[in-house]
Amino acid sequence: MPKRARRATATVSGLMVAGILAASNITATHAAPDEIADSTLRLTGFVGVGAALVPDYDGASGDRLIAGPVFDLRYGRLYANLWDGAGVDLLRSDRLEVGAGVTYVRGRKAKYSPEGVDRLKSAVGARGIVRVFLTPEASLTAGVTRSLGGSDGTLADLTFSYRFRPGKQVTLIPTVSAQWASRRYMQGYFGIDALEADRSGLPAFEADSGLKEVSASLTAIYSFTRHIHISGSVSLDRLLDDAADSPLLEQRWQPSVFLGLEYRF
């Protein structure tokens, strides 16, 4: 089977237990190109630690630093990572992957919500993905996440990524993506009901479905050895439609950075 890029996604998004999931849009998975699709029962992938500087919430002007484990593991057709969650490949070939599983859907904690605005509970989400390998270096991924709690909304994402090596030990992965959100999702994250309006002094706002954001990121990976890698990502998101019109918005452009150290099996 030919060598190819796997899971080089920004993943809104695209992403982890506790706070590190907030960095899912910028921490790109980057399985080695020689990790080809097969169904052998052996553990492959990487584990490590990472830290990210991310907005307090979608649309916030303030940032916070979060840290935690990072991983992308596969055992046969089973997978677990911070971007697509834990699931199973329903179809897997040189050119196509179709997977389904569950993932973590990040909410908004009370301490990061504007004063008078309710927190949004985090939840488990059902996620399906279709990934097409256009070339050995390029992939296009479409995903849909349905939150089973929290906003009870749906988020769809489309991501294109390209992987190349400017040097023997350096890999670069530029990525562009877009996200569409349902009315429930948009209302949960960007809407303000009458009670919240009274408490916060912000105008009531009914958010509708539409494009939530577009994003661009660049991930760089430096390989010290075959097993030890350091990775860094910079990302810039642009909120759109009702996400950009919400009274909760403080800043349309949302920059983030990530740095991680990984051990690859």
Side-chain angles (χ1 to χ4, degrees):
M1 296 181 182
K3 295 181 180 181
R4 57 188 178 83
R6 286 186 57 245
R7 287 193 174 84
T9 64
T11 111
V12 145
S13 92
L15 134 6
M16 188 177 194
V17 283
I20 195 66
L21 263 174
S24 63
N25 283 342
I26 60 172
T27 51
T29 48
H30 44 265
D34 57 352
E35 289 179 6
I36 59 174
D38 59 46
S39 56
T40 55
L41 294 181
R42 62 187 182 91
L43 185 65
T44 60
F46 68 81
V47 296
V49 294
L53 187 66
V54 299
D56 288 336
Y57 62 89
D58 285 348
S61 59
D63 300 307
R64 58 191 170 111
L65 182 67
I66 57 176
V70 293
F71 57 88
D72 183 1
L73 301 173
R74 177 174 289 277
Y75 184 74
R77 290 186 176 272
L78 302 177
Y79 61 82
N81 57 62
L82 306 181
W83 305 269
D84 296 323
V88 59
D89 285 330
L90 305 177
L91 176 64
R92 196 175 184 200
S93 69
D94 290 346
R95 295 296 181 185
L96 180 67
E97 286 183 3
V98 179
V102 295
T103 190
Y104 177 87
V105 180
R106 178 174 56 95
R108 185 181 61 232
K109 293 183 178 180
K111 64 180 178 179
Y112 298 122
S113 298
E115 186 176 354
V117 176
D118 293 335
R119 72 184 182 97
L120 181 63
K121 292 182 179 179
S122 299
V124 173
R127 179 164 174 81
I129 58 169
V130 176
R131 181 172 292 110
V132 180
F133 301 100
L134 305 173
T135 71
E137 298 82 17
S139 65
L140 183 66
T141 303
V144 177
T145 302
R146 174 67 164 87
S147 182
L148 307 176
S151 70
D152 287 319
T154 300
L155 185 69
D157 53 90
L158 184 65
T159 303
F160 173 80
S161 59
Y162 185 84
R163 176 192 195 103
F164 66 98
R165 280 188 164 183
K168 184 178 180 180
Q169 295 174 281
V170 178
T171 301
L172 297 179
I173 309 172
T175 301
V176 292
S177 64
Q179 293 183 347
W180 175 92
S182 69
R183 185 191 64 79
R184 284 187 175 181
Y185 183 100
M186 295 288 274
Q187 181 63 23
Y189 285 88
F190 301 104
I192 299 177
D193 61 28
L195 184 58
E196 291 174 322
D198 288 340
R199 292 197 306 253
S200 66
L202 297 171
F205 183 73
E206 185 81 16
D208 202 357
S209 61
L211 284 175
K212 173 181 175 282
E213 67 180 48
V214 292
S215 305
S217 68
L218 178 64
T219 296
I221 307 164
Y222 183 84
S223 303
F224 291 103
T225 69
R226 181 173 178 271
H227 298 288
I228 305 298
H229 306 260
I230 187 171
S231 64
S233 295
V234 293
S235 175
L236 186 62
D237 304 342
R238 175 65 156 83
L239 296 177
L240 302 171
D241 290 353
D242 279 3
D245 294 335
S246 170
L248 296 175
L249 182 81
E250 297 175 345
Q251 185 171 291
R252 287 188 178 185
W253 293 96
Q254 301 276 277
S256 303
V257 295
F258 168 83
L259 185 66
L261 179 66
E262 300 107 22
Y263 178 86
R264 187 176 303 281
F265 299 107

